Amino acid sequence: MSEQNVEMRTLQGTELTADFWHQFIVFYQRTYLKRSGHGGYLTPTTFKLWGEHLADHIVVFAAYRNDEMLAASLCFKSEDTLYGRYWGCQEELEFLHFEACYYQGIEYCINHNLSYFDAGAQGEHKLHRGFEPVLREGFYRFMPSPLNDAIEQYCRDESTALREHLKTLRTYLPYKDRA
């Protein structure tokens, strides 16, 4: 990052000002617009409420050039875990995504004695950085419909396919299972 004149900063608590949130929302919306063709599923009100009520549980890894924020990765923390992340940028630089979303989080966990870093959903590229794939459970409730049987079958089939995919992904981890 230093070769690109980028400084990484960790922001928390009172450092997450209204100006920060305004800029982060722009980053977030730009990322979703590029990736999915829409402005994201979280509203500006969501981010405002996070800032008001959860600032002590939020850690941001922000990239700056000449005191202008270029990108940021937003994580949540508990007593023993850093959970990531929402990401966005105004300028795409080489390795910036990995620095903000992974390497800064790893370093933060080490420096703050956190036991776990859950780098968030998606991305086989995380395997080469040592992040083990994890299945997450969800609970969904559907109103009675003629489609219920088809939805239930789809969910069962997808669950089976995901468990098989998980086995395959684990073979690509950069370290061997110690068991």
Side-chain angles (χ1 to χ4, degrees), residues 14-139:
T14 59
E15 297 170 304
L16 304 174
T17 64
D19 287 341
F20 162 80
W21 287 111
H22 174 74
Q23 185 61 59
F24 187 80
I25 290 165
V26 171
F27 292 167
Y28 168 81
Q29 291 174 335
R30 288 179 74 172
T31 297
Y32 270 87
L33 188 60
K34 178 183 174 187
R35 186 175 80 187
S36 306
H38 61 83
Y41 54 91
L42 298 175
T43 66
T45 302
T46 300
F47 291 105
K48 180 180 180 284
L49 291 171
W50 285 354
E52 290 172 4
H53 300 284
L54 296 173
D56 291 338
H57 298 282
I58 294 174
V59 179
V60 172
F61 305 111
Y64 287 83
R65 182 186 292 138
N66 301 325
D67 286 325
E68 178 185 357
M69 189 166 58
L70 305 174
S73 173
L74 184 150
C75 300
F76 293 91
K77 68 175 179 173
S78 69
E79 290 181 16
D80 68 346
T81 303
L82 185 66
Y83 299 93
R85 83 278 179 266
Y86 291 98
W87 150 262
C89 66
Q90 72 178 21
E91 183 179 347
E92 294 189 30
L93 300 172
E94 188 173 23
F95 305 118
L96 179 57
H97 176 262
F98 297 114
E99 183 67 32
C101 294
Y102 307 113
Y103 304 138
Q104 290 289 311
I106 292 168
E107 186 175 337
Y108 183 90
C109 288
I110 292 168
N111 291 338
H112 292 85
N113 296 315
L114 297 180
S115 300
Y116 307 101
F117 180 25
D118 181 333
Q122 307 160 342
E124 278 80 358
H125 59 278
K126 295 176 187 174
L127 296 170
H128 301 293
R129 286 157 180 83
F131 291 103
E132 187 172 343
V134 176
L135 286 179
R136 296 291 184 217
E137 302 277 332
F139 178 78

